[in-house]
């Protein structure tokens, strides 16, 4: 151990040096005592970072803090998390510029790298829940997102805990005690962090308590309505909170040292409705970052930049179903052709061929059912990455069920019966009536 870097209610962090390599590291010593190793590796911070650190080398992975080792001392129950060493956090960097604020070129670089980390994190199924200047660490010009103690899986089932994030960076849905939130709370928090870099030492949405923070949000964004955020109005009514009547103030009148592009980026992140906030992946393509180096940092079989509206979802889903049904028809026709090609064989082999055909239809039906399930699973993963589309998924599933029911009914009443009628007529298998039924 070299020196204590800081600490809080849950852990203390020390600067240390590896004896074998001489490498500087940061050791996070958790204050809670644990009974066994299995309990330690199930911690959210350990689980999320092990997954995020092990995935393929993509742009954005390097903007997540690296967990080097997990050390559990069985006799004392002390858990030590060994991280790569970082020189300072964003709050320390902002203080170093006082009484001035960070130049916009520096702000642009920090926000861009943080968005890379968020896009990577969200892609692999986690959201942070506690993004703030103290959890953005820097070494030289590199930015890394740290402290995953509150991280959750995007596809985990709500309800989530009400208290997340520091109140200056807490999304309005969390302030209203909603337990059904998701990755857009990270986008809101980053918008607050970006605004603070222009306004330091004053946060954009300051307040001594949550109520004051929410009143401050209203005074800038204006009072939400059923048109701008119907879910928020309903949640406020549920907990007995009444929004104050406030008119919107344009951000450029508050953040006077920001460029037009920076203000527009902030507006994309700081929206009442979480479903209207842009994703991290889309924000990386904002005009504010026009001069930044761009690379294709996300390679995924699922297009997460799709415009999630009902029409596009239906087009995507219907196209998948059409492809499946086309394969079903091809398989069915092929089965009939295969059977007819064998019709000249002797009668002793007819029974075997008949059973083989019957088995072939069973296998094809099972494969088609599996194809349907795979398409549903892929589509479900795509929709679950965006909060608020569970109802849409249920609606599409119902439509698919009705389509499949009509398709199966038509197939059973026409094609399937016609096949065996054709077999009976051409092969004159009068002694197979029981099988035909």
């Amino acid at each position: 151990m070299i020196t204590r870097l800081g600490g809080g209610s849950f852990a203390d962090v020390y600067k240390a040096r590896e004896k074998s390599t001489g490498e500087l590291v940061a050791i996070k010593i958790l204050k809670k005592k644990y009974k066994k190793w299995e309990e330690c590796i199930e911690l959210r911070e350990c689980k999320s970072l092990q997954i995020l650190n092990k995935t393929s080398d993509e742009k954005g992975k390097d903007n997540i803090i690296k967990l080097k080792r997990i050390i559990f001392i069985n006799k004392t129950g002390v858990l030590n998390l060994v991280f790569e060493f970082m020189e300072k956090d964003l709050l320390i960097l902002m203080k170093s510029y006082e009484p001035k604020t960070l130049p916009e070129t520096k702000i642009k670089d920090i926000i861009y790298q943080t968005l890379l980390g968020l896009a990577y994190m969200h892609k692999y199924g986690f959201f942070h829940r506690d993004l703030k200047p103290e959890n953005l660490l820097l070494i030289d010009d590199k930015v890394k997102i740290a402290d995953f103690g509150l991280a959750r899986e995007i596809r985990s089932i709500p309800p989530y805990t009400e208290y997340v994030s520091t109140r200056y960076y807490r999304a309005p849905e969390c302030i209203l005690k909603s337990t059904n939130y998701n990755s857009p709370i990270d986008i809101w928090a980053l918008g607050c962090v970006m605004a603070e870099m222009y306004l330091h030492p004053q946060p954009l949405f300051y307040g001594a308590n949550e109520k004051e923070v929410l009143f401050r949000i209203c005074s800038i964004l204006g009072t939400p309505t059923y048109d701008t955020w119907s879910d928020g109005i309903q949640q406020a009514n549920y907990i007995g909170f009444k929004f104050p009547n406030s008119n919107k103030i344009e951000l450029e009148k508050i953040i006077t040292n920001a460029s037009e592009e920076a203000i527009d980026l902030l507006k994309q992140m700081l929206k009442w409705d979480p479903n209207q906030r842009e994703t991290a992946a889309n924000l990386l393509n904002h005009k504010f970052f026009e001069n930044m180096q761009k690379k294709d940092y996300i390679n995924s079989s699922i297009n997460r930049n799709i415009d999630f509206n009902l029409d596009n979802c239906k087009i995507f889903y219907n196209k998948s179903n059409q492809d499946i049904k086309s394969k079903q028809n091809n398989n069915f026709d092929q089965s009939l052709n295969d059977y007819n090609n064998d019709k000249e064989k002797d009668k002793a082999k007819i029974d075997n061929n008949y059973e083989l055909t019957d088995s072939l239809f069973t296998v094809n039906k099972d494969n088609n059912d599996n194809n349907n399930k795979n398409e549903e699973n892929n589509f479900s993963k795509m929709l679950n990455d965006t909060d608020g589309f569970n109802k849409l998924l249920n609606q599409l599933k119902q439509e698919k069920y009705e389509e499949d029911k009509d398709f199966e009914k038509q197939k059973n009443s026409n094609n399937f019966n016609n096949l065996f009628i054709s077999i009976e007529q051409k092969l004159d298998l009068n002694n197979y009536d029981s099988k035909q039924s």
Side-chain angles (χ1 to χ4, degrees):
M1 298 286 188
I2 297 177
T3 183
R4 184 177 183 273
L5 296 175
S9 303
F10 303 104
D12 291 313
V13 182
Y14 292 86
K15 181 181 179 181
R17 189 182 298 277
E18 291 257 16
K19 288 185 178 180
S20 58
T21 64
E23 179 186 7
L24 288 175
V25 295
I27 301 179
K28 184 176 183 178
I29 304 176
L30 277 68
K31 293 181 179 180
K32 181 181 177 179
K33 300 297 187 291
Y34 298 90
K35 295 182 180 180
K36 53 185 179 180
W37 168 254
E38 290 75 15
E39 186 181 3
C40 299
I41 60 176
E42 285 300 314
L43 291 174
R44 291 171 186 164
E45 185 162 20
C46 297
K47 286 181 66 176
S48 59
L49 285 175
Q50 286 184 90
I51 293 173
L52 294 173
N53 290 159
K54 283 184 178 179
T55 47
S56 60
D57 291 332
E58 296 182 33
K59 197 169 184 181
K61 176 183 177 180
D62 201 32
N63 298 107
I64 304 294
I65 194 70
K66 184 177 181 181
L67 176 61
K68 299 173 71 67
R69 281 195 304 281
I70 303 174
I71 302 174
F72 175 59
I73 304 175
N74 194 39
K75 291 183 179 180
T76 60
V78 175
L79 178 62
N80 303 273
L81 305 180
V82 183
F83 294 93
E84 60 181 321
F85 177 73
M86 304 294 287
E87 293 175 345
K88 53 183 171 287
D89 61 44
L90 179 57
L91 182 61
I92 293 175
L93 178 66
M94 288 191 291
K95 288 181 177 179
S96 69
Y97 277 80
E98 291 178 354
K100 297 181 179 180
T101 59
L102 294 175
E104 188 166 84
T105 53
K106 189 70 175 177
I107 294 174
K108 183 183 297 187
D109 182 60
I110 292 172
I111 295 300
Y112 185 76
Q113 291 191 57
T114 307
L115 282 171
L116 283 174
L118 284 180
Y120 177 84
M121 182 196 316
H122 293 170
K123 176 190 171 183
Y124 283 99
F126 294 92
F127 62 110
H128 192 275
R129 300 205 304 168
D130 195 20
L131 209 60
K132 56 185 178 181
E134 295 94 321
N135 289 338
L136 294 178
L137 306 184
L138 300 97
I139 184 167
D140 298 326
D141 292 326
K142 196 69 180 178
V143 180
K144 292 179 182 278
I145 303 172
D147 196 348
F148 283 71
L150 290 176
R152 288 295 297 262
E153 291 186 76
I154 287 175
R155 297 179 183 87
S156 58
I157 300 174
Y160 304 133
T161 179
E162 297 171 2
Y163 181 82
V164 292
S165 184
T166 305
R167 67 175 175 271
Y168 298 154
Y169 317 99
R170 196 172 301 159
E173 59 266 33
C174 295
I175 297 178
L176 290 174
K177 312 300 181 185
S178 172
T179 57
N180 186 22
Y181 52 82
N182 212 288
S183 54
I185 71 170
D186 290 344
I187 303 300
W188 175 276
L190 184 59
C192 296
V193 170
M194 179 178 173
E196 186 173 341
M197 284 194 276
Y198 286 101
L199 297 171
H200 183 78
Q202 180 109 305
L204 178 61
F205 301 126
Y206 56 84
N209 51 55
E210 287 186 329
K211 187 175 181 179
E212 288 187 9
V213 171
L214 199 52
F215 274 49
R216 173 69 176 172
I217 296 173
C218 287
S219 69
I220 296 175
L221 300 186
T223 304
T225 65
Y226 276 100
D227 291 333
T228 58
W229 192 28
S230 59
D231 289 343
I233 301 296
Q234 294 174 10
Q235 180 65 22
N237 292 337
Y238 178 75
I239 65 171
F241 177 81
K242 185 176 181 180
F243 286 102
N245 292 322
S246 301
N247 294 322
K248 180 179 179 180
I249 300 176
E250 296 299 333
L251 281 175
E252 50 264 38
K253 294 182 179 179
I254 300 172
I255 308 174
T256 57
N257 55 336
S259 65
E260 181 180 342
E261 293 78 14
I263 293 295
D264 186 74
L265 179 65
L266 283 167
K267 289 179 179 179
Q268 299 301 315
M269 293 189 280
L270 300 175
K271 292 185 177 181
W272 281 112
D273 189 345
N275 294 319
Q276 297 300 318
R277 294 172 206 151
E278 277 291 359
T279 64
N282 284 343
L283 289 171
L284 284 165
N285 296 317
H286 192 274
K287 56 186 177 181
F288 182 60
F289 304 116
E290 276 185 356
N291 297 326
M292 304 293 291
Q293 183 180 8
K294 299 293 197 333
K295 291 183 180 179
D296 183 15
Y297 62 94
I298 291 182
N299 296 312
S300 174
S301 59
I302 299 174
N303 182 6
R304 301 184 186 277
N305 294 336
I306 189 170
D307 180 14
F308 284 101
N309 59 58
L310 182 59
D311 292 336
N312 281 349
C313 289
K314 283 184 176 179
I315 291 171
F316 178 88
Y317 205 68
N318 290 335
K319 184 179 184 302
S320 299
N321 285 331
Q322 289 171 3
D323 292 341
I324 292 171
K325 289 179 181 179
S326 177
K327 291 178 183 178
Q328 288 176 329
N329 290 330
N330 290 337
N331 289 337
F332 193 88
D333 293 340
Q334 184 62 42
S335 299
L336 179 58
N337 291 334
D338 291 344
Y339 192 90
N340 290 334
N341 289 336
D342 293 335
K343 68 182 179 180
E344 301 299 331
K345 293 184 178 180
D346 57 68
K347 189 174 181 180
K349 296 182 179 180
I350 290 177
D351 186 57
N352 291 335
N353 289 337
Y354 188 98
E355 293 177 356
L356 179 61
T357 305
D358 191 45
S359 300
L360 181 60
F361 278 112
T362 302
V363 171
N364 284 337
K365 184 178 184 301
D366 291 340
N367 288 337
N368 292 333
D369 288 341
N370 289 333
N371 286 337
N372 280 327
K373 290 178 181 178
N374 289 336
E375 292 296 334
E376 280 188 45
N377 290 338
N378 288 337
F379 192 65
S380 176
K381 288 179 182 179
M382 180 174 68
L383 291 184
N384 283 340
D385 286 349
T386 302
D387 192 29
F389 280 89
N390 289 330
K391 293 181 180 179
L392 173 59
L393 181 58
N394 291 334
Q395 178 184 342
L396 294 177
K397 282 185 176 179
Q398 181 63 30
E399 292 179 7
K400 178 186 176 298
Y401 171 78
E402 295 296 335
E403 291 176 3
D404 286 350
K405 186 166 68 174
D406 292 341
F407 178 76
E408 290 293 332
K409 182 177 179 181
Q410 181 181 0
K411 184 182 76 174
N412 291 333
S413 62
N414 296 322
N415 297 341
F416 197 78
N417 289 337
N418 290 341
L419 171 64
F420 287 101
I421 290 171
S422 176
I423 292 172
E424 182 184 22
Q425 291 174 346
K426 293 181 180 181
L427 300 177
D428 194 22
L429 301 179
N430 296 323
N431 59 329
Y432 286 96
D433 289 341
S434 60
K435 289 186 178 182
Q436 182 176 299
S437 60

